[in-house]
Amino acid sequence: MAQKQIHFIGGGQMAEAMIRACIANNTLAADEISVTDVNEARLQLLSDKYKVNTGSSQEYGLSAASIIVIAVRPQDNLAALGELVQKHAAPAATIVSIVAGVTIAQLGGYFGAERPIVRVIPNTLTDTGYGYSGVALNSYADRDQVEDFLLGFGKVQYLDEGYIDIFTGYGVAGPNYIYYFIESLVDAGVLAGLPREQAWNVALENMMGAVTMLRQTGLHPRQLLDINNSPGGVGMHGLYELNNSDFAAGLQRSVLAAVKRTTELGVKK
């Protein structure tokens, strides 16, 4: 991307994942990134590992930045950060918030309602090139201001803010469901008698191949299930037991519980 200074307020795990991916994908250079954090050990780690600027003051980082990433906890003092931003940042500098549960309206109250504000729910697959981040914009922000930066750590889906909680519980928490399914499937292979390494390799290969088949054919999963299962065959017997286990409804309840918890966190803020 063109020379843009990105200033991170907060250098925790998610901020590090975003920085790591952007540098690895050459969408940002280390000298385009500055970070401040109350934890000196985190700053030292980020400086040593990624060569980003962690030595400048908050005031300098804000004054030089075209994008300011708010990467703190919801319970941190956002009002105080807002005062610093409004005092030292350029009026056109874009706020990118990854703070869970804090709405665009609340962010506008802290950082200036007429400033470009982008609320981002980052994906957790930053190092893979897969996974969508959910993004909502206020009326002063547009995609061109942030898209190059956001694409540095995955794909992007732009959403009405009303969908953000759903996206968090379904999309961002999504890898949890996949990891748990694969773990359970591997255990099933071991239970049936396969060595764990073989069961692991088969599960991963089947997962990747099934996703590729869906993408390549454009078919609905039910259509592929029909193709893959002969009457009275092995696969149908396995699916029958899976249906009896309440698998689909259990997964759906899990997603709804995650969405509900996301909404609760927002209300608490």
Side-chain angles (χ1 to χ4, degrees):
M1 61 195 296
Q3 283 289 319
K4 288 187 177 182
Q5 290 296 318
I6 314 292
H7 180 62
F8 283 78
I9 302 178
Q13 295 293 336
M14 196 66 239
E16 180 183 357
M18 295 162 68
I19 291 168
R20 180 173 63 241
C22 285
I23 291 175
N25 292 324
N26 295 313
T27 57
L28 283 175
D31 62 5
E32 295 175 303
I33 302 170
S34 59
V35 187
T36 54
D37 195 283
V38 296
N39 186 332
E40 290 295 331
R42 286 297 299 172
L43 293 177
Q44 190 63 53
L45 181 148
L46 294 171
S47 176
D48 292 345
K49 200 168 183 179
Y50 307 106
K51 311 305 179 189
V52 298
N53 175 11
T54 61
S56 297
S57 67
Q58 189 82 276
E59 292 77 10
Y60 176 82
L62 291 172
S63 66
S66 55
I67 294 176
I68 300 163
V69 182
I70 311 300
V72 299
R73 301 171 302 171
Q75 62 267 36
D76 287 339
N77 192 342
L78 292 173
L81 290 180
E83 290 178 7
L84 283 171
V85 167
Q86 295 203 58
K87 182 176 181 180
H88 297 287
T94 301
I95 297 295
V96 172
S97 171
I98 65 169
V99 185
V102 181
T103 67
I104 286 175
Q106 290 171 315
L107 293 166
Y110 295 130
F111 299 103
E114 296 184 358
R115 180 186 296 279
I117 295 176
V118 181
R119 186 178 173 194
V120 179
I121 307 298
N123 74 77
T124 59
L125 302 172
T126 51
D127 298 305
T128 69
Y130 292 98
Y132 286 104
S133 293
V135 180
L137 312 173
N138 76 350
S139 59
Y140 296 94
D142 63 62
R143 299 181 183 188
D144 290 343
Q145 293 167 317
V146 292
E147 189 160 89
D148 286 345
F149 168 54
L150 299 178
L151 290 175
F153 51 90
K155 300 178 174 69
V156 175
Q157 283 196 359
Y158 292 95
L159 309 166
D160 290 331
E161 191 180 15
Y163 291 119
I164 284 287
D165 287 347
I166 299 171
F167 185 89
T168 304
Y170 174 69
V172 176
N176 289 346
Y177 313 127
I178 306 300
Y179 297 146
Y180 191 75
F181 172 76
I182 291 175
E183 179 188 39
S184 300
L185 184 60
V186 171
D187 284 347
V190 175
L191 178 65
L194 280 178
R196 183 164 293 276
E197 184 177 0
Q198 275 190 304
W200 173 255
N201 290 332
V202 168
L204 290 185
E205 197 70 14
N206 281 343
M207 176 68 73
M208 295 172 68
V211 171
T212 301
M213 279 289 287
L214 288 167
R215 290 190 183 278
Q216 287 183 353
T217 64
L219 295 175
H220 189 277
R222 175 52 58 185
Q223 292 174 287
L224 290 174
L225 282 169
D226 287 343
I227 292 169
N228 205 40
N229 290 290
S230 58
V234 171
M236 279 308 302
H237 276 74
L239 287 175
Y240 174 76
E241 289 299 330
L242 197 59
N243 288 334
N244 283 337
S245 73
D246 201 28
F247 170 77
L251 179 59
Q252 291 156 11
R253 287 194 298 268
S254 298
V255 171
L256 292 178
V259 171
K260 180 174 181 288
R261 181 56 180 161
T262 303
T263 304
E264 290 170 350
L265 291 172
V267 170
K268 286 181 180 179
K269 180 60 188 172

